[in-house]
Amino acid sequence: MAASAIPTFSIDEFLQQEREKDLLRFSTAGSVDDGKSTLIGRLLYDTQSVYEDQIRSIEGKGTTAPGQIDFALLTDGLRAEREQGITIDVAYRYFSTGRRKFIIADTPGHEQYTRNMATGASTADAAVVLIDAAKGVLVQSRRHAYIASLLRVSYVLVAVNKMDLIGYDEAAFRAIERDFRLVLEQIAADTGNPVEAQFVPVSALIGDNIVHRTNAMPWYTGPSLLELLESTPTSVDTSAAPFRFPVQRVLRPDHTFRGFAGQISSGTIRPGDKITVLPSGRSADVERIVTWEGDLAEAQAPLSVTLVLSQEVDISRGDLIVSSATPATVAKRVRAALVWMDQRPLERKRRYLLKHTSHTVPAFVSSIEHRTDIGNLSRQPAATLEMNGIGVVNITLLRPMALDLYGTNRSTGAFILIDPETNATVAAGMVTSISDRGVTGTATAGPVTARERAARWGHRGGVLELNGPVELVDQIERSLFLHGVITVRVDAADPPGGADAELVKHVLKSIVESGLVALAITETDSEDLRARVQNDQIVVNANEGDKAIASVNELLERAGICMSHRSEEHTSELQSLRHL
């Protein structure tokens, strides 16, 4: 009798099969205690994507009944998360099935950590929104769904969890489905991004409809959550999109080589293709595409490569290399949807740093069009955005930047705002429209003009005379500093040049011509503060510090030294600097 052949395992065939599988990135969303981490843990456990030692390490721990595994511990790895039974940070997990590979972003449900949810959803192709069957649709579920829609997540899988706690009641499931479909329709109408939603009743703790279909709900005949994930379309292929390449580093190992390293955000590039460098507008041809393994004949997103050009072009970190046939828009004003993430509310007159790909420029919010009330999804007028607030704003950049609409390109249409004082990320933004009005080419020769200095610093040069208590003067200087005004402090009692009035006058003139603001300070014990710019003088009570600071800011705006934020919507920066 012939022996049966024993199938052999080939590592090469296995790796080839893995490479041929497509990848789906998805994030979880929903309110606190909806069971997001438990669902992900159950998904990993039932797909045999966790090791036995991991299971043993969590047995008998957590908040479940004796003899049960707390699956949330498979993703909640921080000590504070396990102690409090909540998710704080974004936990990324990888697993695969016979059909597809997955990367999960398990995000927190607490309102305090909404910023982490936005981080996890920013690269997702789909979102799994959990709703507690016993609680129904909560405000945080609405907020997460709204943010996912802003981030152009087009596929939403709504898992109505904890069905076992309500006796697998079909009527309760259908009521939640009706309510949340209406919410998603309202969100799509507001954000302009329609979503494709599918609903599935589950029990993450027991495992109903997570990986395998259950008999506990015979009234539900649809697929399980995993089956939905395996059939959800992945993200749109960006290789056919316009070429975008943010420069991360200039490589110059010796005098024979000069290349520009970065990751391709979208599109395809080949040697011989004509490119344009933005915002300068200079053009060249691609000579080589260099990688560690050797030169490539073609490179697509999201490869990291080094481009060598056919001629010497002045390029530095932050520049955007684009296809000359389909360039990005160079602008200094954008309209954007903004998710505010900082405890300190948005200040319209405060200068922030706008980071877009590898490029960072000073910017300020010139106006707030509206704030979205997540409770009823209505648009409301607002003077600021509080933490976790969502709204639409107009932003003025102090230097030109090359951007795309977020709906066209998620990489080059997104940005973050940074507080320059604390270096904290305070907001995430998605560009909805771009204004290139008043943007001109960058001069490369001749002396630097007053107009160019004003565009760079965000204000004109001038002399502000302050006469009053030193404590209030310090507060005024600090306020100007936080708003991005570059000042030089000159003590009237001990000026540079001493008693030589002509030399003092020359020093002040040099400061002004450099585009800076000279603070000519005279310290007194008076209860009044006197501030003057040229012939415009104000006198305010020194004991009312906030009012005095606001009055000085208005004085600088009237003098044309600081650009008026209130008039940004109606008057271009070039008009405000016309008299320079």
Side-chain angles (χ1 to χ4, degrees), residues 157-208:
L157 309 181
V158 184
V160 181
N161 192 25
K162 304 184 182 181
M163 289 295 298
D164 54 308
L165 298 183
I166 62 169
Y168 301 104
D169 183 13
E170 180 183 7
F173 170 77
R174 299 302 179 190
I176 291 174
E177 181 180 10
R178 287 193 300 271
D179 291 346
F180 204 62
R181 281 195 186 278
L182 180 60
V183 169
L184 292 176
E185 290 174 2
Q186 293 173 332
I187 291 174
D190 191 64
T191 63
N193 180 37
V195 297
E196 182 177 326
Q198 300 191 64
F199 290 74
V200 54
V202 303
S203 171
L205 183 62
I206 298 176
D208 294 324

Side-chain angles (χ1 to χ4, degrees), residues 463-467 518-522 530-534 555:
V463 178
L464 171 62
E465 300 178 38
L466 295 173
N467 188 312
L519 302 182
I521 297 169
T522 301
R530 297 178 182 274
R532 188 176 71 173
V533 177
Q534 297 178 345
L555 174 65

Side-chain angles (χ1 to χ4, degrees), residues 363-525:
F364 61 84
V365 176
S366 56
S367 64
I368 302 175
E369 292 192 3
H370 67 263
R371 178 182 66 86
T372 299
D373 186 333
I374 298 299
N376 54 25
L377 297 177
S378 63
R379 297 181 178 183
Q380 299 179 347
T384 184
L385 291 178
E386 305 284 346
M387 185 173 181
N388 297 325
I390 302 172
V392 174
V393 303
N394 293 294
I395 298 177
T396 298
L397 313 177
L398 298 188
R399 294 197 296 272
M401 175 179 282
L403 311 102
D404 289 301
L405 299 181
Y406 187 80
T408 303
N409 192 312
R410 291 178 75 178
S411 296
T412 54
F415 63 87
I416 60 173
L417 291 181
I418 301 171
D419 186 334
E421 183 181 1
T422 63
N423 205 35
T425 301
V426 297
M430 289 68 69
V431 178
T432 58
S433 65
I434 304 173
S435 172
D436 57 359
R437 178 173 53 119
V439 176
T440 57
T442 303
T444 57
V448 179
T449 65
R451 187 189 303 275
E452 291 173 311
R453 295 185 195 277
R456 171 60 60 89
W457 306 134
H459 59 79
R460 296 174 56 215
V463 178
L464 171 62
E465 300 178 38
L466 295 173
N467 188 312
V470 64
E471 295 82 4
L472 181 56
V473 170
D474 292 341
Q475 292 178 28
I476 293 172
E477 183 181 17
R478 174 66 59 178
S479 173
L480 294 173
F481 174 77
L482 293 178
H483 290 149
V485 179
I486 304 175
T487 60
V488 178
R489 188 161 176 158
V490 178
D491 190 348
D494 185 22
D500 190 337
E502 287 299 320
L503 182 56
V504 173
K505 184 178 179 181
H506 178 74
V507 170
L508 292 176
K509 181 181 178 182
S510 297
I511 294 174
V512 172
E513 289 180 348
S514 297
L516 311 181
V517 176
L519 302 182
I521 297 169
T522 301
E523 299 178 10
T524 69
D525 295 328

